[in-house]
Amino acid sequence: MPELPEVEAYRRLAEAGLGRPIATVELRDPRFLRSAVTARRLGTVLRGASFTAARRRGKLLVLDLGGTAAATGHHLGLRFGMTGRLLVDDRVGVDDLVYASNRAEPRWDRFVVGFADGGDLVVRDPRLLGGVLLDPDEQLLGPDATGVTLSQLRRALEGSAVAVKARLLDQSRLAGVGNLIADEVLWRASVAPTRRSGSLTAAEVRRLHRHLRTTLDDLDERGGSHRGDLMSFRRPGGRCPRDGAELIRSTVGGRTSWWCPRHQR
DNA sequence: ATTGTGGCCTGCCCGC
DNA sequence: TGCGGGCAGGCCACAA
């Protein structure tokens, strides 16, 4: 599910959880803890502490910790996989999540942080593809796609024979772009996803950069990564909304991809 | 080192 | 109505 716009919405929601002492920590499925620490250790760090800031890098939400000696200097990382949601005090960060159930099964609440004031912060994830991390290594992520500069994007794409879409999805080179946004940006920029990343001309990289920035702005305003202009045509028989050509569906960079064979070159 | 593949998980939707 | 197959917006370990 969540790509950058959704996680940004989660980040804004998480700000409602700042400065509130943590009373309880429930990790209801040990598989959801993705760092090499025990659930017991995580609880020790979190209990009595509070979140001091809610940051985002790509699709990773980072909650800084403070308030106790045990917590100061530590960071809680939340990943949402494809079906993860964030709730604070029972408010959701995102209303509709494509490919994820909107139901509220109690057993899907994998991680629950209870505040001393009675509210809570919950990660609900049916598929368990997300997870909780203690002190995630943020250096493993490339520059955030929001605000990436042209030269940073050029660096992320240059010198590689891999498909340009695969590079856009590589979180270590550019953080935040997921499958839907990659298709949308490439479609808007008229670049075929299968193009070798290093083969893009300077003009094409510039075009990609401009469309990446404007697409992320658009999708944030529209309220989700599934609100792109191409989204509703990603289906069998779907036609390009720009020129009417039948869209191609294939696997690029390991992911299902839809693109227009006429104007994406 | 870079790149491709398979696997992790479960829910949902479609066709039979 | 029930069932099986295929699909899913992410990410990691692994092998070549």
Side-chain angles (χ1 to χ4, degrees):
Chain A
M1 62 134 231
E3 297 190 42
L4 191 153
E6 285 77 18
V7 181
E8 176 57 23
Y10 294 168
R11 190 201 63 75
R12 290 191 285 255
L13 175 66
E15 292 192 324
L18 300 184
R20 298 163 66 180
I22 294 166
T24 59
V25 179
E26 286 180 67
L27 194 64
R28 296 178 177 173
D29 190 316
R31 291 173 296 179
F32 209 57
L33 182 54
R34 305 290 181 171
S35 296
V37 296
T38 61
R40 182 191 178 87
R41 162 80 179 140
L42 182 69
T44 300
V45 172
L46 290 179
R47 269 190 299 277
S50 52
F51 300 124
T52 58
R55 300 180 289 113
R56 180 189 59 73
R57 181 147 176 177
K59 299 180 243 189
L60 177 70
L61 180 61
V62 182
L63 301 175
D64 295 334
L65 290 160
T68 65
T72 299
H74 289 288
H75 313 275
L76 181 70
L78 300 179
R79 285 205 330 241
F80 298 93
M82 288 168 62
T83 53
R85 292 165 187 277
L86 186 72
L87 297 89
V88 175
D89 302 332
D90 296 324
R91 283 166 36 225
V92 295
V94 167
D95 292 326
D96 49 336
L97 220 45
V98 179
Y99 304 122
S101 171
N102 287 319
R103 283 156 49 213
E105 289 283 340
R107 70 176 189 280
W108 295 342
D109 292 351
R110 311 294 184 177
F111 181 62
V112 180
V113 173
F115 298 115
D117 60 27
D120 58 18
L121 179 149
V122 174
V123 178
R124 178 177 295 162
D125 183 4
R127 278 181 71 185
L128 280 170
L129 291 173
V132 174
L133 303 101
L134 184 62
D135 300 326
D137 186 353
E138 298 175 46
Q139 297 308 113
L140 296 178
L141 294 171
D144 188 81
T146 303
V148 69
T149 65
L150 176 61
S151 64
Q152 284 175 321
L153 183 63
R154 190 181 297 127
R155 216 169 304 141
L157 299 179
E158 70 190 358
S160 171
V162 80
V164 61
K165 179 173 175 180
R167 274 276 161 134
L168 290 174
L169 292 173
D170 184 341
Q171 302 298 300
S172 71
R173 301 181 186 278
L174 179 68
V177 174
N179 197 37
L180 285 185
I181 293 180
D183 277 3
E184 177 79 16
V185 169
L186 289 163
W187 177 80
R188 291 191 186 197
S190 304
V191 173
T194 48
R195 281 282 298 284
R196 291 171 182 268
S197 178
S199 77
L200 267 59
T201 65
E204 287 171 330
V205 174
R206 189 178 299 272
R207 227 157 64 212
L208 258 188
H209 179 249
R210 189 166 56 236
H211 285 290
L212 177 62
R213 301 291 296 267
T214 54
T215 299
L216 290 172
D217 285 347
D218 269 4
L219 295 178
D220 191 54
E221 277 180 32
R222 297 181 192 180
S225 53
H226 59 293
R227 303 279 173 85
D229 296 335
L230 186 64
M231 182 66 196
S232 59
F233 304 95
R234 299 173 104 259
R235 53 178 171 72
R239 292 186 170 275
C240 175
R242 182 178 298 183
D243 57 37
E246 185 163 345
L247 297 175
I248 291 178
R249 175 197 195 273
S250 71
T251 300
V252 181
R255 314 298 302 280
T256 297
S257 305
W258 294 86
W259 82 95
C260 173
R262 184 168 300 167
H263 83 270
Q264 287 179 257
R265 298 293 174 171

Short mmCIF file of all heavy atoms in Angstrom, two decimals, chain A residues 210-236:
data_model
loop_
_atom_site.label_atom_id
_atom_site.label_comp_id
_atom_site.label_asym_id
_atom_site.label_seq_id
_atom_site.Cartn_x
_atom_site.Cartn_y
_atom_site.Cartn_z
N ARG A 210 11.43 16.75 -13.12
CA ARG A 210 10.32 17.69 -13.01
C ARG A 210 9.02 16.95 -12.69
O ARG A 210 8.26 17.34 -11.82
CB ARG A 210 10.19 18.50 -14.30
CG ARG A 210 9.20 19.65 -14.20
CD ARG A 210 9.36 20.61 -15.37
NE ARG A 210 9.23 19.95 -16.66
CZ ARG A 210 10.13 19.99 -17.63
NH1 ARG A 210 11.24 20.66 -17.45
NH2 ARG A 210 9.93 19.36 -18.77
N HIS A 211 8.80 15.83 -13.40
CA HIS A 211 7.55 15.11 -13.20
C HIS A 211 7.51 14.38 -11.86
O HIS A 211 6.45 14.20 -11.27
CB HIS A 211 7.31 14.14 -14.36
CG HIS A 211 6.88 14.83 -15.61
ND1 HIS A 211 5.64 15.42 -15.74
CD2 HIS A 211 7.52 15.07 -16.78
CE1 HIS A 211 5.53 15.97 -16.94
NE2 HIS A 211 6.67 15.78 -17.59
N LEU A 212 8.67 13.98 -11.39
CA LEU A 212 8.70 13.35 -10.07
C LEU A 212 8.23 14.35 -9.01
O LEU A 212 7.38 14.05 -8.17
CB LEU A 212 10.13 12.87 -9.77
CG LEU A 212 10.37 12.24 -8.39
CD1 LEU A 212 9.53 10.99 -8.21
CD2 LEU A 212 11.85 11.90 -8.21
N ARG A 213 8.78 15.54 -9.08
CA ARG A 213 8.41 16.57 -8.09
C ARG A 213 6.92 16.91 -8.18
O ARG A 213 6.23 16.96 -7.17
CB ARG A 213 9.25 17.83 -8.32
CG ARG A 213 10.75 17.63 -8.22
CD ARG A 213 11.18 17.33 -6.80
NE ARG A 213 10.91 18.47 -5.92
CZ ARG A 213 11.78 19.43 -5.65
NH1 ARG A 213 12.99 19.36 -6.16
NH2 ARG A 213 11.46 20.42 -4.86
N THR A 214 6.45 17.17 -9.40
CA THR A 214 5.05 17.60 -9.53
C THR A 214 4.08 16.46 -9.23
O THR A 214 3.02 16.69 -8.67
CB THR A 214 4.78 18.16 -10.95
OG1 THR A 214 5.17 17.18 -11.91
CG2 THR A 214 5.56 19.43 -11.19
N THR A 215 4.48 15.23 -9.58
CA THR A 215 3.60 14.10 -9.30
C THR A 215 3.44 13.90 -7.80
O THR A 215 2.33 13.68 -7.29
CB THR A 215 4.16 12.82 -9.94
OG1 THR A 215 4.24 12.99 -11.36
CG2 THR A 215 3.27 11.62 -9.63
N LEU A 216 4.54 13.99 -7.07
CA LEU A 216 4.46 13.81 -5.62
C LEU A 216 3.60 14.91 -5.00
O LEU A 216 2.80 14.64 -4.09
CB LEU A 216 5.86 13.79 -5.01
CG LEU A 216 6.68 12.54 -5.35
CD1 LEU A 216 8.12 12.68 -4.86
CD2 LEU A 216 6.03 11.29 -4.77
N ASP A 217 3.74 16.13 -5.50
CA ASP A 217 2.89 17.22 -5.00
C ASP A 217 1.42 16.93 -5.29
O ASP A 217 0.56 17.05 -4.42
CB ASP A 217 3.29 18.55 -5.67
CG ASP A 217 4.59 19.11 -5.10
OD1 ASP A 217 5.03 18.60 -4.06
OD2 ASP A 217 5.14 20.04 -5.70
N ASP A 218 1.16 16.54 -6.55
CA ASP A 218 -0.21 16.21 -6.96
C ASP A 218 -0.82 15.16 -6.06
O ASP A 218 -1.93 15.30 -5.57
CB ASP A 218 -0.19 15.62 -8.38
CG ASP A 218 -0.35 16.70 -9.44
OD1 ASP A 218 -0.39 17.88 -9.06
OD2 ASP A 218 -0.44 16.34 -10.63
N LEU A 219 -0.08 14.06 -5.89
CA LEU A 219 -0.64 12.92 -5.18
C LEU A 219 -0.86 13.24 -3.71
O LEU A 219 -1.80 12.75 -3.10
CB LEU A 219 0.26 11.70 -5.35
CG LEU A 219 0.35 11.20 -6.80
CD1 LEU A 219 1.29 10.01 -6.89
CD2 LEU A 219 -1.03 10.83 -7.34
N ASP A 220 0.01 14.07 -3.16
CA ASP A 220 -0.19 14.48 -1.77
C ASP A 220 -1.47 15.30 -1.65
O ASP A 220 -2.27 15.09 -0.75
CB ASP A 220 1.02 15.29 -1.29
CG ASP A 220 0.96 15.50 0.22
OD1 ASP A 220 0.84 14.48 0.95
OD2 ASP A 220 1.03 16.65 0.67
N GLU A 221 -1.66 16.21 -2.62
CA GLU A 221 -2.88 17.03 -2.60
C GLU A 221 -4.12 16.18 -2.82
O GLU A 221 -5.15 16.37 -2.18
CB GLU A 221 -2.82 18.09 -3.70
CG GLU A 221 -2.05 19.34 -3.32
CD GLU A 221 -2.05 20.33 -4.49
OE1 GLU A 221 -3.03 20.38 -5.25
OE2 GLU A 221 -1.02 21.04 -4.63
N ARG A 222 -4.00 15.23 -3.74
CA ARG A 222 -5.17 14.40 -4.07
C ARG A 222 -5.44 13.36 -2.99
O ARG A 222 -6.49 12.73 -2.98
CB ARG A 222 -4.95 13.69 -5.41
CG ARG A 222 -4.82 14.63 -6.59
CD ARG A 222 -4.63 13.84 -7.87
NE ARG A 222 -4.23 14.69 -9.00
CZ ARG A 222 -4.00 14.22 -10.22
NH1 ARG A 222 -4.14 12.93 -10.47
NH2 ARG A 222 -3.63 15.04 -11.18
N GLY A 223 -4.46 13.13 -2.15
CA GLY A 223 -4.70 12.25 -1.02
C GLY A 223 -4.33 10.80 -1.23
O GLY A 223 -4.97 9.91 -0.66
N GLY A 224 -3.30 10.52 -2.05
CA GLY A 224 -2.85 9.13 -2.12
C GLY A 224 -2.17 8.77 -3.42
O GLY A 224 -2.40 9.38 -4.46
N SER A 225 -1.30 7.77 -3.32
CA SER A 225 -0.52 7.35 -4.47
C SER A 225 -1.38 6.65 -5.52
O SER A 225 -0.94 6.44 -6.64
CB SER A 225 0.60 6.41 -4.02
OG SER A 225 0.09 5.36 -3.26
N HIS A 226 -2.61 6.31 -5.17
CA HIS A 226 -3.49 5.64 -6.13
C HIS A 226 -4.36 6.65 -6.88
O HIS A 226 -5.26 6.28 -7.61
CB HIS A 226 -4.39 4.64 -5.40
CG HIS A 226 -5.23 5.28 -4.35
ND1 HIS A 226 -4.68 5.84 -3.22
CD2 HIS A 226 -6.57 5.49 -4.27
CE1 HIS A 226 -5.66 6.34 -2.48
NE2 HIS A 226 -6.81 6.15 -3.10
N ARG A 227 -4.08 7.95 -6.69
CA ARG A 227 -4.90 8.98 -7.34
C ARG A 227 -4.22 9.53 -8.59
O ARG A 227 -4.56 10.62 -9.04
CB ARG A 227 -5.18 10.13 -6.36
CG ARG A 227 -5.88 9.71 -5.07
CD ARG A 227 -7.37 9.55 -5.28
NE ARG A 227 -8.04 8.99 -4.09
CZ ARG A 227 -8.45 9.71 -3.05
NH1 ARG A 227 -8.27 11.00 -3.05
NH2 ARG A 227 -9.06 9.13 -2.03
N GLY A 228 -3.28 8.79 -9.12
CA GLY A 228 -2.57 9.25 -10.31
C GLY A 228 -3.47 9.20 -11.55
O GLY A 228 -4.50 8.53 -11.56
N ASP A 229 -3.05 9.90 -12.60
CA ASP A 229 -3.84 9.95 -13.83
C ASP A 229 -3.88 8.61 -14.55
O ASP A 229 -4.77 8.34 -15.35
CB ASP A 229 -3.24 11.00 -14.78
CG ASP A 229 -3.32 12.40 -14.19
OD1 ASP A 229 -4.20 12.65 -13.34
OD2 ASP A 229 -2.50 13.25 -14.59
N LEU A 230 -2.87 7.78 -14.28
CA LEU A 230 -2.78 6.49 -14.98
C LEU A 230 -3.52 5.37 -14.25
O LEU A 230 -3.88 4.35 -14.82
CB LEU A 230 -1.30 6.12 -15.13
CG LEU A 230 -0.97 4.89 -15.97
CD1 LEU A 230 -1.38 5.10 -17.42
CD2 LEU A 230 0.52 4.57 -15.89
N MET A 231 -3.77 5.60 -12.97
CA MET A 231 -4.22 4.52 -12.09
C MET A 231 -5.41 3.72 -12.61
O MET A 231 -5.38 2.50 -12.64
CB MET A 231 -4.56 5.11 -10.72
CG MET A 231 -5.00 4.07 -9.70
SD MET A 231 -3.65 2.95 -9.27
CE MET A 231 -4.58 1.64 -8.47
N SER A 232 -6.44 4.41 -13.05
CA SER A 232 -7.66 3.69 -13.41
C SER A 232 -7.51 2.92 -14.71
O SER A 232 -8.37 2.13 -15.07
CB SER A 232 -8.84 4.66 -13.50
OG SER A 232 -8.57 5.64 -14.48
N PHE A 233 -6.40 3.14 -15.41
CA PHE A 233 -6.19 2.43 -16.68
C PHE A 233 -5.25 1.25 -16.53
O PHE A 233 -4.95 0.57 -17.51
CB PHE A 233 -5.68 3.42 -17.73
CG PHE A 233 -6.58 4.61 -17.91
CD1 PHE A 233 -6.35 5.79 -17.21
CD2 PHE A 233 -7.69 4.53 -18.73
CE1 PHE A 233 -7.20 6.87 -17.35
CE2 PHE A 233 -8.56 5.61 -18.88
CZ PHE A 233 -8.31 6.78 -18.19
N ARG A 234 -4.80 1.00 -15.33
CA ARG A 234 -3.92 -0.14 -15.08
C ARG A 234 -4.76 -1.41 -14.94
O ARG A 234 -4.93 -1.93 -13.85
CB ARG A 234 -3.11 0.06 -13.79
CG ARG A 234 -2.21 1.25 -13.76
CD ARG A 234 -1.60 1.42 -12.37
NE ARG A 234 -0.22 1.00 -12.29
CZ ARG A 234 0.20 -0.16 -11.78
NH1 ARG A 234 -0.66 -1.02 -11.27
NH2 ARG A 234 1.46 -0.47 -11.76
N ARG A 235 -5.29 -1.85 -16.06
CA ARG A 235 -6.13 -3.04 -16.06
C ARG A 235 -6.13 -3.60 -17.47
O ARG A 235 -5.83 -2.88 -18.43
CB ARG A 235 -7.55 -2.69 -15.61
CG ARG A 235 -8.15 -1.57 -16.42
CD ARG A 235 -9.57 -1.25 -16.03
NE ARG A 235 -10.02 -0.03 -16.70
CZ ARG A 235 -10.31 0.05 -18.00
NH1 ARG A 235 -10.20 -1.01 -18.77
NH2 ARG A 235 -10.71 1.20 -18.53
N PRO A 236 -6.47 -4.87 -17.60
CA PRO A 236 -6.48 -5.48 -18.94
C PRO A 236 -7.35 -4.68 -19.89
O PRO A 236 -8.48 -4.32 -19.55
CB PRO A 236 -7.07 -6.87 -18.68
CG PRO A 236 -6.74 -7.16 -17.25
CD PRO A 236 -6.78 -5.83 -16.55
#
